[in-house]
Amino acid sequence: MSGPQRLVSFVLACVLSVIVAGAQSQTMPGPEVKKLAVMVGRFTVEDELKAGAMGPNSPAMKFSGTDACRWTAGGFAVICEAALHRPGRKYSETSFVYYDPTSKTYLYHAVDSSGGIENKTGTVNGDVWTWLGESVFAGKPYHTRYTMKFVSADSFEYTDESGESESSMKVFVSGKETRVAAAKPAKSQPAQ
């Protein structure tokens, strides 16, 4: 092999290794995605629907259930399935959470057994996750704010606010989720 041929081969090998390394780094979840690990696992749910939340003079109601969340999409997203039991009624919700590197925010999409849909944008500041967005309930749009505060590695407290406008939002449900699955956040990493 002549000198120029070796140089061309060497340059092609370098270009190929840069392309392969770039492709590999693009398929590895970044630190923002890995923050979603706190949501992975099986949780018990205990919450309270506030008095008046289901209409004038409606009583406060407690309900419980489970929320099972797992990595999906090659470790770039989390999918959760919640099953809750209110007095005389079952409720379920499926949600999909991921980090959008373009907007540099977390995104949340959900649909529930009442036909309600939610789309929210999230930010994280220390142990507090704040989700802002809109939901549709009974064909009517509402502004929403869902706040999660991690009080330990295995539990968080939350409030869910809703209103016809941002200024009219009120807490309609609050509660706590506690991890019962073996997977802890530090060990629960996206697939690599």
Side-chain angles (χ1 to χ4, degrees):
M1 190 180 283
S2 68
Q5 289 174 327
R6 274 185 274 198
L7 180 61
V8 169
S9 295
F10 175 74
V11 169
L12 287 175
C14 290
V15 168
L16 183 58
S17 46
V18 167
I19 290 171
V20 169
Q24 286 176 344
S25 68
Q26 290 174 352
T27 61
M28 300 297 288
E32 296 86 0
V33 173
K34 291 178 181 180
K35 285 182 182 181
L36 293 170
V38 298
M39 297 177 199
V40 175
R42 183 172 172 80
F43 296 82
T44 58
V45 180
E46 303 168 37
D47 63 13
E48 179 181 14
L49 190 64
K50 304 299 182 191
M54 299 303 285
N57 303 319
S58 63
M61 289 188 279
K62 293 190 181 230
F63 53 102
S64 61
T66 60
D67 194 9
C69 301
R70 61 182 169 75
W71 288 109
T72 189
F76 281 91
V78 174
I79 191 166
C80 298
E81 294 182 283
L84 303 174
H85 305 280
R86 296 180 184 162
R89 184 171 174 224
K90 283 182 158 183
Y91 169 86
S92 63
E93 177 182 276
T94 300
S95 59
F96 187 68
V97 184
Y98 58 96
Y99 180 75
D100 176 16
T102 303
S103 66
K104 298 196 183 316
T105 58
Y106 293 89
L107 297 175
Y108 170 94
H109 307 287
V111 63
D112 66 37
S113 57
S114 70
I117 58 170
E118 292 184 82
N119 294 297
K120 297 179 183 180
T121 302
T123 56
V124 61
N125 185 5
D127 292 335
V128 178
W129 293 70
T130 305
W131 301 90
L132 299 171
E134 294 187 356
S135 64
V136 176
F137 182 73
K140 190 172 182 179
Y142 289 91
H143 292 271
T144 60
R145 178 175 30 246
Y146 181 76
T147 306
M148 306 164 65
K149 175 161 180 35
F150 281 83
V151 294
S152 76
D154 290 319
S155 67
F156 63 90
E157 296 173 347
Y158 60 89
T159 58
D160 208 346
E161 301 170 79
S162 181
E164 292 181 23
S165 68
E166 286 185 39
S167 61
S168 70
M169 287 193 292
K170 294 179 184 176
V171 174
F172 72 93
V173 69
S174 62
K176 183 176 184 177
E177 291 198 21
T178 304
R179 187 185 324 273
V180 293
K184 303 256 184 214
K187 294 179 183 176
S188 177
Q189 298 293 323
Q192 306 232 354

